[in-house]
Amino acid sequence: ASKLEISMPDVVEVEVGDTARIECNFYIPENASYTYIDWFYVDRSNRQVRLYHITASGVLEDDTEYKKRLSLGEDKALSISAVTVQDARTFVCQVGAGSYGVGENSTELSVYKVPKIPEIEPNSGGVSVHSNSIPEIAKCLSKNSFPPPNITWHKNGVQLQAQEKDVNIQSTLTRESSGLYTVSSTLYAPVTRDDRLSSYHCTVHYWLRGHSRALESRRVKVNIFYPAEHLKLQVVPSSALVKEGDNVTLVCESDGNPQPVFTFFKKNLDEWQDVSSLAEPQSGVLTLHDVDKSSSGTYKCQSLDLDDMSQIEEAVDLVVNYIEGVDVKMEPSSTLQEGQNVTLSCDAHSPVNLTYQWRDENGKKLKEGKKLFLNNLSFESSNTYSCRVTAPSVPGLEQSKKLFLAVEGKPRIVAISSPLYVRQDEVINLTCKAIAFPRPTLQWSINGTAHEYMDNQHVASNLTVRVSHDLLQAGAKCRVSNKLGVSEKHIQLVDQKSTAESQGVIIVAIIVAILVVAVLGAVIYFLHKKGKIPCGRAGKQDITKPEARKDKIVVEVKSDKVSEEAGLLQGANGERRAAADQVGQSAGHRQ
């Protein structure tokens, strides 16, 4: 190149608050040196104001508004710190090169501030589909941006265009003292019932380094007011399961917003009776407490929309399941006697199928079905029988009725304390227990302190009395009677003293018998040892034949031990002699 050339970037972008660096690169032919370098900025009057004058001998900084924020690099690049929006202007670099003349170039400093995420607020009062004017949907606000941004509106993700379908967008731009901009935008648009599900948001668009950027707000929904189109009236719990005594709730719901005014009616013959006084105010809930058969019927809910005064109504049938007229009969119905048979029958009325079950007074299950057959009745058959009626299709629906069955008969004594071993002058308790119906009277033949009580179906009496000589001899009688007959039993009293003496005699007799048996056993044993009693093979010999030799066996019973030992030794010697004789006889026969 044969001339002075200066190159600078066309634009330098910097965010507010950062430092801007503007370079000035130049070329002087033959590597000649510059004479001076001057930096300028262009003010609003399009006049150049010098910032620096740079020569080989030094740097001169002019007194301008940029003083204290300027600096020069080693390559003579200009740096501006703490950039503000007012710094968005043109900066000029001028180079003097002596005989090569003077050259200059410029850079546009572009200052920006990224806006904050936009803030959106839906209409807090709600929007009606019957609004006479185009209603306000929401407002959007974007703060602290530079240069001024642009705001767009979106419904369900689709951008809305102003003037389309009565859509109106009003925006306001405000420049703050800092030089930054605040943009506000309001969306006006008509709504329909379907917009209750719609979402809205706004987007702020701005430029950065030659590219368009965007920030979106949060999604919001608008409270849409619309009249009801459908009404639903339902019974809780399900009408098929309602039974007498339940609390029933009728819930009326509409698909309008806000909920309309609800009114409840019950049909009586051909007229509708207002029962809204039983409902919770403005709730659409009617509660019926402790329902019965009379609560059944047709109920109607009527809604009134205060916006357009439209009305809708819906009806539902309430069926209260019940069991009534539970009746228990006995055949025959006359008084029952022991040994007879009886049939118990049970019946009831209900709009649903019923099952029947019989139980006794202890809750024991006896039989399924309407009838219970009892054969060969006894006093023990007297009981309270219960017929339990249930509706399997309606859980918890049941009724029961009881019947007391009494079996009549003359008294029968079932337990008495006889015989009873006593001592004279001893205080004793006599017990007598009987069963009968009607309840019998229990009497004693002697005087004493009587305590009468019931033990299950039995009548029992305890008589406390002191044992006298006469009582020992005569004993006592328990007499039980009712209108059907009398039964009595005698209680025998046995003197324990006489019993003890008799027992002593018996014990002595037993001991003597044992001793006799023992002596007899000893005699048999000794005879066997002497061979007098045949046993085994020896038993085949003729015991009538005379023996070659006989020894006498003398048995003596003495009280001193010496005599006992002598007798035992004699017996032992005799045994040895007898054994020797038998050996000798056997040898003689073989010869």
Side-chain angles (χ1 to χ4, degrees):
S2 58
K3 62 178 181 178
L4 175 63
E5 294 182 358
I6 300 175
S7 63
M8 294 179 67
D10 293 333
V11 178
V12 171
E13 289 187 314
V14 62
E15 188 169 9
V16 172
D18 288 348
T19 298
R21 189 174 188 274
I22 305 174
E23 296 181 351
C24 180
N25 297 312
F26 54 87
Y27 170 76
I28 303 175
E30 299 181 357
N31 291 327
S33 179
Y34 65 88
T35 305
Y36 69 91
I37 301 174
D38 286 341
W39 280 100
F40 302 89
Y41 73 89
V42 179
D43 64 11
R44 295 180 180 178
S45 301
N46 206 27
R47 182 175 61 88
Q48 290 188 353
V49 180
R50 193 176 74 176
L51 298 171
Y52 276 115
H53 178 66
I54 306 167
T55 62
S57 58
V59 177
L60 174 64
E61 181 180 0
D62 293 276
D63 188 11
T64 65
E65 61 181 280
Y66 284 98
K67 199 167 187 178
K68 296 183 180 180
R69 289 200 296 135
L70 296 179
S71 62
L72 285 174
E74 291 184 0
D75 58 352
K76 305 304 184 287
L78 178 66
S79 293
I80 306 170
S81 63
V83 171
T84 66
V85 295
Q86 288 78 14
D87 296 331
R89 53 182 39 149
T90 302
F91 289 84
V92 179
C93 176
Q94 187 182 83
V95 178
S99 60
Y100 291 102
V102 177
E104 68 178 25
N105 206 339
S106 64
T107 295
E108 186 73 22
L109 181 60
S110 176
V111 180
Y112 67 90
K113 177 65 175 176
V114 176
K116 292 183 178 180
I117 295 176
E119 302 172 3
I120 185 172
E121 289 297 331
N123 189 330
S124 60
V127 178
S128 173
V129 296
H130 294 307
S131 177
N132 294 325
S133 59
I134 301 176
E136 176 187 314
I137 303 300
K139 288 184 177 180
C140 183
L141 184 67
S142 175
K143 296 180 179 180
N144 300 330
S145 61
F146 189 87
N150 182 40
I151 292 180
T152 58
W153 284 94
H154 305 261
K155 173 183 174 181
N156 298 327
V158 179
Q159 183 175 342
L160 298 174
Q161 301 296 333
Q163 309 305 323
E164 274 189 15
K165 298 180 180 179
D166 297 327
V167 174
N168 185 14
I169 299 175
Q170 296 181 4
S171 299
T172 302
L173 179 65
T174 303
R175 184 182 177 92
E176 308 292 342
S177 60
S178 62
L180 302 178
Y181 290 95
T182 295
V183 181
S184 175
S185 180
T186 305
L187 172 66
Y188 297 86
V191 293
T192 65
R193 179 189 183 90
D194 294 336
D195 287 327
R196 70 188 186 279
L197 304 176
S198 297
S199 65
Y200 297 85
H201 76 275
C202 61
T203 302
V204 176
H205 302 270
Y206 62 96
W207 288 89
L208 180 63
R209 294 183 174 89
H211 299 282
S212 177
R213 305 293 176 90
L215 290 175
E216 292 184 353
S217 71
R218 62 188 176 93
R219 267 69 171 169
V220 296
K221 289 187 175 182
V222 180
N223 189 13
I224 306 297
F225 300 140
Y226 49 89
E229 293 181 351
H230 303 93
L231 202 62
K232 181 172 69 173
L233 179 61
Q234 59 181 345
V235 178
V236 180
S238 171
S239 181
L241 301 177
V242 176
K243 64 182 181 300
E244 285 184 310
D246 283 350
N247 294 331
V248 178
T249 301
L250 275 68
V251 180
C252 190
E253 298 175 328
S254 78
D255 58 355
N257 184 42
Q259 289 291 297
V261 177
F262 296 105
T263 307
F264 288 94
F265 301 89
K266 182 178 186 292
K267 191 172 186 179
N268 288 330
L269 299 177
D270 294 331
E271 295 182 354
W272 290 97
Q273 177 186 358
D274 191 338
V275 292
S276 300
S277 60
L278 303 176
E280 300 176 17
Q282 305 300 321
S283 67
V285 176
L286 173 66
T287 302
L288 304 176
H289 297 279
D290 195 20
V291 296
D292 55 20
K293 179 182 178 181
S294 64
S295 303
S296 297
T298 302
Y299 290 80
K300 180 174 69 174
C301 172
Q302 188 179 79
S303 68
L304 173 63
D305 192 293
L306 299 179
D307 193 13
D308 61 357
M309 303 306 291
S310 60
Q311 287 186 343
I312 305 176
E313 59 184 36
E314 184 70 19
V316 67
D317 290 328
L318 173 63
V319 178
V320 179
N321 297 289
Y322 60 91
I323 298 175
E324 66 178 7
V326 179
D327 186 28
V328 177
K329 295 181 179 179
M330 180 177 68
E331 182 65 34
S333 58
S334 58
T335 303
L336 299 174
Q337 303 292 331
E338 281 194 296
Q340 285 187 307
N341 301 331
V342 69
T343 300
L344 303 182
S345 60
C346 182
D347 200 5
H349 175 69
S350 175
V352 295
N353 293 329
L354 301 176
T355 60
Y356 300 83
Q357 186 182 93
W358 290 93
R359 292 177 181 266
D360 63 13
E361 61 186 12
N362 296 321
K364 180 182 177 182
K365 179 180 174 182
L366 301 175
K367 187 179 181 298
E368 297 276 357
K370 286 188 174 184
K371 294 183 180 296
L372 176 64
F373 301 97
L374 300 174
N375 299 321
N376 194 19
L377 296 175
S378 64
F379 288 132
E380 286 75 9
S381 302
S382 298
N383 205 319
T384 298
Y385 294 89
S386 173
C387 174
R388 181 185 177 204
V389 186
T390 59
S393 60
V394 186
L397 179 58
E398 65 177 58
Q399 291 282 348
S400 62
K401 192 168 184 179
K402 297 180 179 180
L403 172 69
F404 177 69
L405 187 147
V407 179
E408 293 189 351
K410 76 172 189 176
R412 183 170 70 248
I413 298 176
V414 296
I416 194 166
S417 54
S418 178
L420 185 63
Y421 296 94
V422 299
R423 296 179 185 274
Q424 189 166 335
D425 294 328
E426 180 185 11
V427 177
I428 61 172
N429 285 326
L430 304 180
T431 301
C432 182
K433 184 184 291 187
I435 187 170
F437 190 85
R439 178 172 173 172
T441 301
L442 197 149
Q443 295 176 323
W444 293 94
S445 61
I446 58 174
N447 293 327
T449 303
H451 170 63
E452 188 173 306
Y453 60 94
M454 291 297 297
D455 182 10
N456 291 329
Q457 298 178 356
H458 299 83
V459 178
S461 177
N462 286 339
L463 180 69
T464 303
V465 66
R466 182 178 296 278
V467 179
S468 64
H469 176 74
D470 294 338
L471 180 59
L472 271 174
Q473 297 299 319
K477 286 184 180 181
C478 172
R479 186 176 188 273
V480 185
S481 63
N482 65 7
K483 66 179 183 178
L484 300 177
V486 178
S487 179
E488 65 179 20
K489 282 192 177 182
H490 180 264
I491 296 179
Q492 178 187 0
L493 301 180
V494 180
D495 191 346
Q496 285 186 342
K497 180 179 180 182
S498 300
T499 303
E501 293 175 355
S502 300
Q503 290 176 348
V505 172
I506 294 172
I507 293 171
V508 170
I510 292 173
I511 293 174
V512 170
I514 293 173
L515 290 175
V516 170
V517 172
V519 171
L520 181 59
V523 171
I524 293 173
Y525 176 77
F526 284 119
L527 291 175
H528 167 66
K529 289 298 184 178
K530 294 295 292 180
K532 299 300 181 178
I533 298 178
C535 183
R537 293 180 180 176
K540 296 179 182 180
Q541 298 175 3
D542 187 357
I543 61 174
T544 61
K545 292 181 180 181
E547 296 182 359
R549 183 177 179 180
K550 296 181 180 179
D551 291 330
K552 293 181 180 180
I553 299 175
V554 179
V555 179
E556 293 181 316
V557 179
K558 294 184 179 181
S559 60
D560 57 289
K561 294 183 179 179
V562 176
S563 299
E564 285 181 339
E565 292 174 359
L568 292 173
L569 289 173
Q570 181 181 357
N573 293 331
E575 289 177 1
R576 284 195 290 270
R577 286 196 301 271
D581 291 342
Q582 288 179 3
V583 172
Q585 291 174 5
S586 300
H589 286 301
R590 285 194 297 270
Q591 291 176 356

